[in-house]
Amino acid sequence: MLPILFIIAFAFYDEGNKNNISENDMISFNTLDANIIKAWYRNNGSFNHNYITDGPGFEVPKGSGSHVRFISGIWIGARVLGDTIVSKSDYISDFQPGYTDNNGLPHGKDDPQFRVYKLTYGIKNKDRTQWPNVLLGNSDQGAPVYFDVISNKWKAFDYGHQTMFYCFTDSYGNNALKADVKMLNYAFDLNGPAAQAIFSKIKIINRSNNVWNDIYISVWTNDNIGAPTDDMIAGDSALQYGYTYNSRPSDPEYGTPPAVSFEMLKGADEYTGNMQDSTFVCEGLDKKIKLGYRNKRMTVFNGGTINDFNPANRIEAYRLMSGLNQDGSPIIHPSGYITKFKRFYDAKDYRFLISTGPVNINPGDTQTIVISQIYARGSSNLGTIMTLRVYSDLIRRIYEECILGLPPIQEIPSAEATDFRLYQNYPNPFNPGTKIRFEIPNLSNTSMRTQLIIYDILGREVITLVNESLSAGEYEVDWNAGQYPSGMYFCKLTVRPSGFMQSLSETRKMLLIK
């Protein structure tokens, strides 16, 4: 017997809304804890901070009481009409919930609709019902949605097993950029490096009437690997990440100490006008390509202690974001040349930032960056660094292929399928088991010859999972790849309806990570 499960319907069930709103204002917060990480997020641009205890808010493993990050935040800085303007969020934020209208006026900070929304894959709760997109009949905040052809309606888009969305703006402050930010955070309950990572897609919109020149978009963090005074920080320009690790082989809180990084998976887009240049952003499993632009990548890694990395004004903040020392002097590499990637040689209580830029943003235009936070722990403090490097490289390769995603949830009205469809396997990436779902259309009154075959990266047949006549309907097959090596595989579905000369076929990419 083939391991095929005939599916009748997909059932939702209710879950209580766990969103939290502070008592003094409409700034709200929530946590992502889909995998081994529990991280806090707030709709004012700050995250990784426990907003109830005012303590560290990046707990790994979740439930352990051990933390590697105290607080992180988004910084945006640009030159506007000869002035330098920076809006940042760390211990104090220049952002508040809401948006900026076409007249440059802010709205939403007192509106309960501008809060943190959180989806859990397969769960129908209050946040799914109120997911803030006008296409769903809710507030017009632009939360990601997709059109389900089976139910003929728009639905909330689950980027991961948990997906979080919220909007904030700096337009309530004085000397503001008038920047609107839409932040999407998501995480996966999967095996491999994805189990130790959280992702953020950050969209920034210029709502002013002025061009933002030489803009830098930065992610700032204050990390503590157990005890704070023995941390080291470093940046890798090739792998595009900054990280914090422990200088000692053993930590009182963790034992063998871990490391944690911010990786720039997609930097700012720089316009070139050359149609041979292109950038892309992953929207779930789809790759959205933009021609005539190039990815600026991570262009700055900068850091220091509270004494030399604590800007007193926007000029000093912009210097740090653009790869200078706080006093405006250039960073000098030990070999004598000027660099934007600072190096550190002693253990202290550090904080750091990574930046992408500079680029220009016209009024009404947007920039989207994508970052990941990755946790790793090896056999020693130095072994942890190598483990983090391997994880970061795998996460980047997975993202660049746009294969880290979930199939859309389908509400199947009946067992009779109307479309020919091969769904993305789930989970993907996987180790070692995955499920493959497909639909066979009702094109004839007889059964149809159906083949489901797995191929390797070289196009060689690996295994045939289905090879028989099946009637119209929806099916699911389990594949355990425990005996096969890690790598890219291709799943091909072929159906030949009775009386038809031509077959129907569709192929999906799958990634096995061990």
Side-chain angles (χ1 to χ4, degrees):
M1 288 290 295
L2 289 169
I4 300 179
L5 174 65
F6 197 82
I7 299 176
I8 302 298
F10 191 97
F12 286 108
Y13 63 90
D14 290 333
E15 179 189 60
N17 178 25
K18 299 179 180 179
N19 186 69
N20 296 278
I21 299 179
S22 61
E23 295 180 357
N24 298 326
D25 50 39
M26 296 312 299
I27 295 178
S28 64
F29 50 85
N30 212 324
T31 60
L32 280 183
D33 56 0
N35 47 41
I36 69 168
I37 300 170
K38 180 179 181 180
W40 292 70
Y41 290 85
R42 198 173 191 181
N43 60 342
N44 68 348
S46 72
F47 52 103
N48 295 334
H49 189 66
N50 187 323
Y51 303 103
I52 295 177
T53 66
D54 197 27
F58 192 92
E59 183 185 30
V60 195
K62 64 182 179 184
S64 67
S66 297
H67 299 80
V68 295
R69 295 207 138 125
F70 192 86
I71 189 170
S72 308
I74 305 300
W75 292 15
I76 308 170
R79 302 189 188 279
V80 183
L81 299 178
D83 193 9
T84 299
I85 303 176
V86 174
S87 295
K88 61 187 184 72
S89 181
D90 38 58
Y91 290 98
I92 299 175
S93 181
D94 297 318
F95 299 101
Q96 294 202 57
Y99 71 100
T100 308
D101 67 18
N102 292 332
N103 296 317
L105 300 176
H107 303 270
K109 74 180 181 69
D110 299 317
D111 186 343
Q113 294 184 100
F114 283 87
R115 58 178 178 84
V116 176
Y117 293 81
K118 177 180 172 182
L119 302 176
T120 300
Y121 189 68
I123 306 297
K124 187 174 183 180
N125 63 358
K126 179 180 177 182
D127 283 359
R128 188 176 294 276
T129 302
Q130 298 181 356
W131 194 241
N133 190 298
V134 69
L135 292 171
L136 302 179
N138 299 323
S139 61
D140 188 15
Q141 298 182 43
V145 294
Y146 73 98
F147 187 76
D148 179 21
V149 295
I150 294 180
S151 61
N152 196 37
K153 62 183 179 181
W154 291 95
K155 293 183 178 181
F157 192 153
D158 294 81
Y159 266 65
H161 288 99
Q162 290 181 0
T163 306
M164 183 183 289
F165 177 84
Y166 47 91
C167 300
F168 51 93
T169 181
D170 71 341
S171 292
Y172 281 99
N174 296 322
N175 199 32
L177 284 167
K178 295 193 180 297
D180 283 3
V181 182
K182 300 179 186 294
M183 192 153 177
L184 181 77
N185 310 304
Y186 54 101
F188 297 91
D189 181 16
L190 298 173
N191 296 316
Q196 302 184 188
I198 290 181
F199 301 84
S200 294
K201 179 182 175 185
I202 305 164
K203 182 178 180 180
I204 299 167
I205 309 168
N206 181 352
R207 292 296 192 191
S208 75
N209 295 320
N210 303 311
V211 177
W212 295 345
N213 292 299
D214 298 329
I215 182 173
Y216 286 90
I217 304 167
S218 304
V219 181
W220 171 96
T221 190
N222 183 6
D223 298 343
N224 293 329
I225 308 294
T229 57
D230 58 356
D231 289 343
M232 297 284 289
I233 59 175
D236 190 314
S237 58
L239 291 178
Q240 301 178 64
Y241 69 91
Y243 60 97
T244 301
Y245 65 101
N246 202 296
S247 63
R248 297 187 296 177
S250 180
D251 178 80
E253 185 172 334
Y254 274 101
T256 302
V260 62
S261 71
F262 271 110
E263 183 171 16
M264 187 74 69
L265 295 175
K266 179 196 176 297
D269 293 335
E270 181 179 42
Y271 179 72
T272 66
N274 185 348
M275 293 299 105
Q276 300 300 313
D277 293 332
S278 66
T279 64
F280 72 90
V281 64
C282 291
E283 296 183 1
L285 298 167
D286 294 328
K287 181 179 288 190
K288 301 300 183 182
I289 298 174
K290 185 164 64 171
L291 299 178
Y293 291 82
R294 65 178 179 181
N295 182 1
K296 287 290 289 188
R297 299 165 55 95
M298 183 180 102
T299 52
V300 173
F301 171 80
N302 206 348
T305 68
I306 192 172
N307 295 323
D308 57 5
F309 205 77
N310 187 27
N313 52 59
R314 63 182 185 273
I315 303 297
E316 291 184 356
Y318 186 80
R319 289 169 179 168
L320 297 176
M321 298 172 69
S322 59
L324 298 173
N325 291 311
Q326 191 163 295
D327 61 7
S329 62
I331 298 172
I332 306 299
H333 188 272
S335 299
Y337 59 85
I338 294 176
T339 180
K340 292 184 178 293
F341 288 79
K342 201 166 187 177
R343 299 186 68 177
F344 299 86
Y345 300 95
D346 53 356
K348 294 180 181 178
D349 183 8
Y350 285 116
R351 61 276 316 272
F352 74 80
L353 62 77
I354 62 172
S355 294
T356 181
V359 295
N360 300 331
I361 307 182
N362 293 321
D365 281 351
T366 66
Q367 283 284 347
T368 299
I369 71 168
V370 181
I371 60 172
S372 64
Q373 300 184 71
I374 305 172
Y375 168 90
R377 191 176 181 189
S379 57
S380 66
N381 60 330
L382 297 181
T384 289
I385 296 174
M386 297 308 298
T387 302
L388 182 65
R389 177 184 291 270
V390 171
Y391 284 2
S392 297
D393 182 56
L394 285 172
I395 289 294
R396 176 168 300 283
R397 285 193 285 156
I398 290 169
Y399 179 78
E400 289 180 348
E401 291 294 330
C402 292
I403 57 176
L404 191 59
L406 301 175
I409 297 173
Q410 304 289 346
E411 296 178 69
I412 302 169
S414 69
E416 181 175 317
T418 58
D419 295 323
F420 172 76
R421 183 175 303 181
L422 174 62
Y423 294 91
Q424 186 66 50
N425 64 302
Y426 168 75
N428 188 44
F430 64 99
N431 178 26
T434 191
K435 297 180 182 296
I436 304 167
R437 189 155 60 101
F438 60 91
E439 290 184 22
I440 297 177
N442 187 10
L443 297 178
S444 65
N445 295 324
T446 60
S447 59
M448 287 157 278
R449 192 65 183 177
T450 304
Q451 288 185 322
L452 187 67
I453 302 175
I454 307 297
Y455 297 89
D456 65 15
I457 193 68
L458 299 178
R460 298 173 298 197
E461 183 175 328
V462 173
I463 186 173
T464 298
L465 298 177
V466 178
N467 186 15
E468 62 180 79
S469 294
L470 298 175
S471 57
E474 181 165 331
Y475 299 84
E476 186 173 87
V477 179
D478 292 318
W479 181 41
N480 189 314
Q483 61 180 307
Y484 300 104
S486 298
M488 184 76 73
Y489 291 85
F490 297 89
C491 176
K492 183 177 182 181
L493 173 68
T494 304
V495 172
R496 182 183 290 259
S498 176
F500 286 70
M501 295 296 295
Q502 187 172 355
S503 299
L504 304 174
S505 66
E506 190 171 0
T507 304
R508 293 281 186 179
K509 294 184 291 186
M510 308 186 300
L511 185 64
L512 173 62
I513 298 178
K514 294 185 176 180

